[in-house]
């Protein structure tokens, strides 16, 4: 059909809401088992993308199938081909590379949609990247890029190894394939090929890495035993709860387990085929269902995937508790009040009802987990911080926890030994981040300035068709100078045309965000000249205290922030991100928020007694502002400074700094690092690639 | 050396740098000393290694009266064997009575072929990978260097003869054949003795394991990971498909064992050649989304950064590590028991997880004082260990935790670490010894750790004392510290320029 024909037909038939694509609910191995074969072929309902190109190449993704080890490219699938459209996509097949492309597209899009739903905004990929440019003297120099990245690239057959990873440097997912080991167990043919790009869990996992990096790019820095583990855990949580989006699978598993999801089942396991193929241990990361032992988290387990598995298990425990609670009445109804099921298969109606509850609960827990990302500190995250973020985010949106979700989560985390260091008791109130109300906010005139800028931002977000006049010049600068699109200064008309005709919604949001970050930075940096000549004024000190950061230099502050760079009396800082979020609670509560992250770094000694080597110690805060009145609601703080007394004399090192020193020197190091060194390059180059031969 | 009434053993650890060389001298009444040499090597890239190893060899010659009763070659890594060829002139003048190696050197062993095949395949693959065109980029230089370093450690003779896979290496040839010694290939579970010391010393062979799964297992399985190693990295499950690709690229030599066809993921019908893709196959799709359009030359950079032409090669680093680890697991690991006192000295070579882990199932039957049969288990031996030669220069995965160090519960435990942390760190960026392990060693020995690179000689002993005195808990009593220090001796000297420090450190154990 030609474009013109399509246009014509669009006039009478609106475009469909969904594109249906067939794929594996888990991975190909389960299609070889009689009991799971039927449910393993699922239909993914993907948001219809109007201009989806062969690849598929759409708004968010760009699938390019190159297999360098085989010196082979594979033709891109055209999902708009009528023959493919008419049969809900290509049939699942291991031997057809076009199906692999369809599969990665379907799962990655599902994951993106889950994120957007939970966060209430469009997903953006990380724009920041560094490149090592070879110089004449044989060394490398770092070049930093910060351009808009419209699409995440996906290479379904990039590697010949039992691995898949998100490449921060390429903004791409690289999937590997490999022959199963000779002694593979289960239904894996020894030597048969295993494709990571056919595993729902692995695709969802890697896509989540990319989404998380798009929000929190400092989370890939290993500053805490939990930091890389968190990346892994979060990616697994998303993969795991997405299992529940396939109704047939859930019904099937509910029937098999007679509604008892605590027993071993497919829903709670990750990457079967991969796990079996690389060794005799079945699915990967199965802390799920194990007896909680606080020592695992607190002392024993350090490897990021394994440590992450503890967090995954905690969240899954909570899910199970909530599910159990929610279906208790159904079971009583079905059993004349005894709650004890008769032996044998359970009634299909009961299966349906239980499956519904399981799916609903899973979706809610997943949403809670994703939403919490907005309430995380911008740097140095620990599992305890994450728990606080989940609880705060949920309290904010659903003030009354009638279904006991929060209690279930806190309890599950506590059983696995995960709780924050800085709270006195583990109750909902004490776990919530420090809350500010209007009265507090009014103390901070500086917040008024921030609010002023945010108003513009919010307004523009609402009218993306209009070119933002008030920040026009800055926009022009970003788009024409920094991005190097043209050598000639564009006319106003050209800028406007570009905005209107060439940029899509996500790119506009990206530009607006960049612009408002810049404006906020200017406001904060100019604060001294605008308002105060005294950096030690109470008002300003209060603001610095609330953020845990330092903005204006004074002799009083010197001892606290050794290694923090100063420029004309102002400490260097970065407006790390600005995001908006719109959320609707189950009871119709609407929450509109703006989330700002500000970060700082100090160049500090690795060993406090030795001048060299040094490393970057980061601090930062996430300010959550209410959009209604633009007041500060929460400040999530990772302090940058050391402890000082009232006179500004040094008292003790920042506790996090001491911990990071220990972590960096005595901490865990892989065998690879033992041999290949902990060079700066090894640290920054693809931190997620080499965690281990896993994914 | 003056003889004493009782048997005593003096363990001399040479300070040549990163590498192992131990001379054990068993002193007996009215008899010549019994000399046992365990390994003699120095790391490939060390400076002045010929001069240094000549100094070491001269000292061995002098001290042993040019007669070594037993020479143990734990495994064929350059840092354990190079001394024999570097200082061949000196070793030519030393008689070797017996040479002990692991069963992995025994051509008649039923598993010999399999283990060689596995090593050869990986070595061939790495050799081919290093020659690939995609491998020659600036960005991959660190990877190339790292692989070269590991592969050279394994092969020992530089890039041009990478294919010279042992056991036909020069050192191996020299020690096993030219020296005309009696060669013993030891299998685990065997009990060995020293001639003339049959009643006083027993040598228990712990490894290498005959279960090949354990040899290629450099790291513990997941369920044992935390309990067993000091750190943990899951091995690569499959290297073969990578190796097949390397061999099949036309740049390297196809090894024949790995037919690329077997590892091709799809039927050839799906294949689009890179040249066709770049020329515009699939409606210019790959031009638009991978190569960049030719007509827009200045936009080419926008494409290049996302290309993946060489990312798949990164796994070669892991394969090199595996190969290296596999060799470490072929180590001849020995426990030497001084019968009268029951004291045990453990020399594991560079054994890693799989080797250590195999020991637990071993037992031996020996006669006690009264001539009765008694059973000795690995557990007994470890519990009575008073000297532990720390494996692999103190790296993280060459000392087992619960099945190793934690079982060495003797109150007299002392650890010797043949390492040179400055060299390891500066030239290779390696952390040897591993900090976590070192801390545990200090706790277990209550400070009695003797690193070969102990700094500050002639004040080196001061550091040893400080380490004992600084113990946070379970500190040794003063008298015990004194007697420990008395047993330690830094002495000898290098003739090599710039090495103004003791040639060795020795520790004497009374039987």
């Amino acid at each position: 059909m030609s474009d013109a024909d399509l246009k014509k037909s669009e006039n009478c038939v609106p475009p469909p809401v969904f594109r249906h694509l067939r794929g594996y609910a888990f991975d190909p191995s389960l299609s070889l088992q009689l009991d799971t074969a039927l449910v393993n072929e699922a239909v993914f309902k993907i948001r219809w993308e109007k201009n989806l190109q062969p690849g598929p190449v759409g708004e968010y993704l760009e699938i390019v199938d190159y297999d360098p080890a085989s010196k082979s490219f594979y033709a891109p699938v055209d999902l708009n081909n009528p023959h493919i459209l008419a049969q809900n996509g290509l049939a699942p097949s291991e031997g057809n590379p076009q199906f692999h492309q369809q599969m990665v597209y379907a799962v990655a899009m599902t994951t993106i949609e889950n994120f957007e739903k939970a966060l209430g905004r469009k997903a953006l990929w990380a724009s920041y990247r560094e490149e090592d440019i070879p110089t004449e003297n044989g060394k490398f120099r770092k070049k930093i890029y910060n351009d808009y990245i419209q699409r995440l690239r996906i290479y379904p057959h990039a590697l010949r190894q039992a691995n898949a990873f998100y490449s921060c440097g390429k903004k791409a997912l690289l999937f590997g394939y490999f022959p199963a080991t000779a002694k593979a167990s289960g239904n894996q043919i020894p030597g048969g090929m295993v494709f990571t790009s056919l595993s729902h869990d692995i695709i969802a996992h890697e896509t989540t890495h990319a989404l998380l990096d798009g929000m929190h790019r400092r989370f890939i820095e290993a500053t805490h035993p939990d930091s890389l583990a968190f990346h892994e855990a979060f990616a697994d949580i998303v993969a795991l709860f997405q299992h529940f989006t396939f109704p047939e699978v859930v019904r099937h598993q509910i029937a098999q387990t007679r509604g008892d999801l605590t027993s071993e089942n497919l829903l709670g396991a990750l990457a079967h085929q991969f796990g079996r193929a690389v060794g005799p241990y079945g699915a990967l990361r199965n802390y799920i269902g194990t007896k909680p032992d606080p020592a695992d988290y607190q002392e024993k387990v350090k490897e990021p995937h394994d440590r992450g598995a503890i967090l995954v298990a905690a969240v899954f425990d909570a899910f199970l508790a909530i599910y159990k609670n929610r279906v208790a009445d159904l079971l009583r109804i079905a059993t004349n009040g005894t709650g004890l099921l008769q032996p044998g298969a359970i009634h299909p109606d009961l299966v349906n009802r239980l499956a519904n509850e399981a799916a609903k609960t899973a979706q809610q827990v997943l949403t809670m987990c994703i939403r919490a990302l907005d309430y995380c500190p911008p740097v140095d995250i620990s599992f305890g911080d994450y728990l606080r973020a989940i609880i705060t985010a949920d309290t904010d949106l659903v003030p009354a926890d009638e279904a006991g979700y929060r209690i279930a989560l806190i309890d599950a985390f506590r059983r696995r030994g995960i709780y924050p260091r800085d709270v006195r008791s583990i109750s909902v109130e004490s776990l919530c981040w420090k809350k500010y109300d209007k009265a507090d906010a009014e103390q901070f005139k500086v917040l008024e300035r921030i609010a002023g800028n945010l108003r513009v931002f919010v307004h523009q977000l609402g009218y993306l068709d209009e070119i933002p006049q008030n920040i026009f010049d800055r926009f022009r600068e970003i788009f024409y100078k920094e991005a190097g699109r043209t050598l000639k200064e564009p006319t106003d008309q050209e800028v406007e045309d570009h905005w209107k005709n060439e940029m899509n919604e996500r790119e506009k949001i990206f530009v607006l965000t960049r612009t408002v970050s810049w404006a906020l930075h200017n406001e904060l940096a100019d604060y001294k000249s605008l308002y105060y000549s005294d950096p030690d004024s109470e008002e300003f000190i209060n603001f610095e205290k609330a953020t845990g950061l330092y903005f204006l230099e004074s002799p009083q502050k010197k001892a606290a922030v050794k290694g923090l760079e100063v420029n004309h009396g102002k400490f260097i800082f970065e407006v790390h991100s600005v995001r908006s979020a719109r959320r609707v609670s189950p009871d119709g509560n609407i929450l509109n928020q703006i989330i700002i992250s500000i970060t700082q770094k100090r160049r500090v000694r690795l060993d406090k007694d030795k001048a060299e080597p040094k490393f970057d110690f980061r601090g930062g805060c996430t300010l959550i502002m209410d959009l209604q009145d633009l007041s500060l609601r929460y400040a999530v703080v990772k302090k940058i400074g050391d402890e000082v007394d009232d006179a500004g004399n040094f008292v003790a090192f920042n506790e996090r700094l001491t911990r990071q020193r220990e972590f960096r020197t005595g901490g865990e190091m892989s065998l690879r690092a033992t041999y290949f060194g902990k060079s700066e390059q090894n640290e920054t180059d693809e931190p997620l690639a080499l965690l281990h031969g896993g994914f | 050396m003056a003889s004493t009434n009782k048997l005593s053993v003096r363990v001399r650890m040479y300070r040549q740098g990163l590498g192992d060389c131990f001379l054990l001298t068993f002193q007996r009444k009215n008899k010549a000393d019994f000399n046992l040499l365990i390994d003699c090597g120095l790391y490939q890239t060390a400076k002045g290694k010929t001069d240094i190893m000549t100094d070491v060899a001269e000292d061995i010659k002098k001290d042993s009266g040019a007669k070594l009763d037993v020479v143990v070659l734990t495994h064929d890594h350059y840092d354990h064997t190079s001394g024999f060829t570097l200082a061949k002139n000196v070793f030519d003048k030393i008689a070797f009575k017996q040479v002990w190696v692991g069963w992995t050197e025994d051509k008649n062993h039923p598993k010999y072929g399999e283990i060689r095949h596995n090593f050869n395949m990986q070595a061939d693959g790495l050799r081919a990978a290093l020659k690939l065109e995609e491998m020659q980029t600036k960005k991959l230089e660190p990877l190339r260097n790292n692989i070269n370093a590991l592969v050279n450690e394994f092969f020992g003779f530089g890039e041009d003869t990478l294919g010279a896979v042992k056991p036909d290496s020069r050192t191996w040839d020299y020690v096993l054949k030219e020296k005309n010694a009696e060669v013993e290939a030891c299998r685990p579970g065997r009990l060995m003795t020293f001639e003339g010391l049959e009643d006083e010393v027993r040598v228990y062979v712990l490894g290498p394991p005959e279960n090949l799964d354990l040899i290629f297992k450099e790291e513990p399985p997941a369920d044992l990971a935390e309990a067993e190693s000091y750190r943990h990295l899951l091995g690569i499950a499959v290297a073969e498909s990578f190796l097949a690709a390397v061999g099949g690229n036309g740049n390297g030599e196809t090894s024949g064992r790995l037919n690329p066809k077997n590892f091709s993921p799809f039927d050839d019908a799906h294949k689009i050649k890179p040249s066709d893709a770049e020329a515009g196959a699939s409606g210019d799709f790959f031009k638009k989304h991978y190569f960049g359009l030719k007509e827009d030359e200045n936009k080419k950079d926008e494409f290049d950064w996302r290309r993946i032409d060489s990312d798949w090669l990164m796994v070669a680093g892991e394969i090199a590590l595996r190969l290296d680890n596999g060799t470490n697991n072929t180590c001849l690991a020995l426990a030497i028991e001084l019968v009268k006192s029951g004291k045990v000295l453990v020399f594991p070579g560079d054994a890693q997880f799989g080797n250590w882990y195999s020991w637990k199932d071993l037992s031996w039957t020996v006669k006690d004082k009264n001539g009765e049969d008694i059973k000795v288990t690995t557990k007994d031996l470890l519990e009575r260990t008073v000297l532990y030669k720390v494996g692999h220069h103190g790296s993280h995965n060459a000392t087992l935790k619960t099945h190793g160090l934690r079982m060495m519960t003797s109150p007299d435990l002392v650890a010797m670490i043949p390492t040179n942390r400055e060299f390891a760190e500066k030239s290779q960026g390696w952390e040897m010894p591993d900090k976590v392990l070192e801390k545990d060693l200090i706790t277990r020995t209550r400070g009695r750790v003797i690193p070969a690179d102990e700094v500050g000689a002639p004040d080196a002993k001061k550091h040893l004392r400080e380490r004992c005195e600084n113990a946070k808990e379970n500190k040794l009593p003063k008298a015990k510290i004194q007697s420990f220090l008395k047993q330690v001796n830094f002495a000898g000297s290098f003739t090599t320029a710039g090495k103004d420090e003791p040639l060795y450190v020795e520790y004497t154990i009374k039987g």
Side-chain angles (χ1 to χ4, degrees), chain A residues 54-55 57 62-64 66-76 94-98 100 129 131 138 140 149 151-153 155 157-161 169-171 174 177-179 181 183 193 195 278 281 300-303 306 665-677 685 691-693, chain B residues 134 138-139 142-143 146 150 213 218-219 221-223 226 230-238 241-242 244-245 249 262-266 270-274 277 282 285-286 289-291 303 305-309 311-312 314-315 317-318 321 324-325 328 352 392 395-397 428-431 435-436:
Chain A
V57 175
E62 172 182 43
I63 286 107
V64 179
Y66 177 37
D67 174 359
S70 307
K71 291 248 177 278
S72 185
F73 284 81
Y74 305 110
E94 288 177 90
N96 179 0
Q98 280 77 43
H100 296 209
R129 71 188 168 92
E131 215 174 293
F140 292 95
I149 305 287
R151 301 184 181 105
L152 178 72
R153 187 172 285 188
Y155 293 107
H157 308 100
L159 312 163
R160 275 201 180 183
Q161 61 186 102
K170 298 189 197 317
K171 311 297 171 206
L174 279 68
Y177 63 90
F178 61 100
T181 48
K183 284 176 195 152
M193 209 57 86
F195 295 96
V278 295
Y281 311 111
K300 292 189 200 156
V301 182
K302 304 285 182 207
E303 195 281 327
D306 292 343
T665 52
E668 299 300 301
M669 189 164 69
S670 68
L671 178 63
R672 170 174 270 272
T674 310
Y675 275 108
F676 288 4
D685 230 27
L691 271 181
H692 68 47
Chain B
E134 304 96 294
K138 185 96 190 122
K139 197 154 181 177
L143 176 73
N146 285 324
L150 286 170
D213 280 354
E218 69 274 17
E219 296 274 348
D223 51 336
E226 270 316 309
Y230 281 83
R231 281 168 196 172
H232 161 61
L233 174 105
L234 197 75
I236 302 289
V238 180
S241 68
F242 170 83
N249 260 329
N262 296 341
F263 297 96
S264 178
F266 300 108
H270 291 292
K271 195 169 175 154
I272 299 173
K273 274 192 256 154
S282 297
F285 177 82
F286 301 107
H289 296 281
Y290 192 77
F291 293 103
F303 288 86
W305 67 275
R306 296 185 100 169
R307 288 175 62 154
I308 51 158
D309 305 74
D311 293 69
W312 67 289
M314 295 306 287
V315 75
E318 309 286 332
L321 281 177
D324 189 72
N325 287 324
N328 281 336
Q352 307 207 351
H392 203 217
S395 83
H396 75 280
N397 62 341
Q428 309 294 337
W430 297 344
E431 190 174 278
K435 288 207 178 73
V436 183

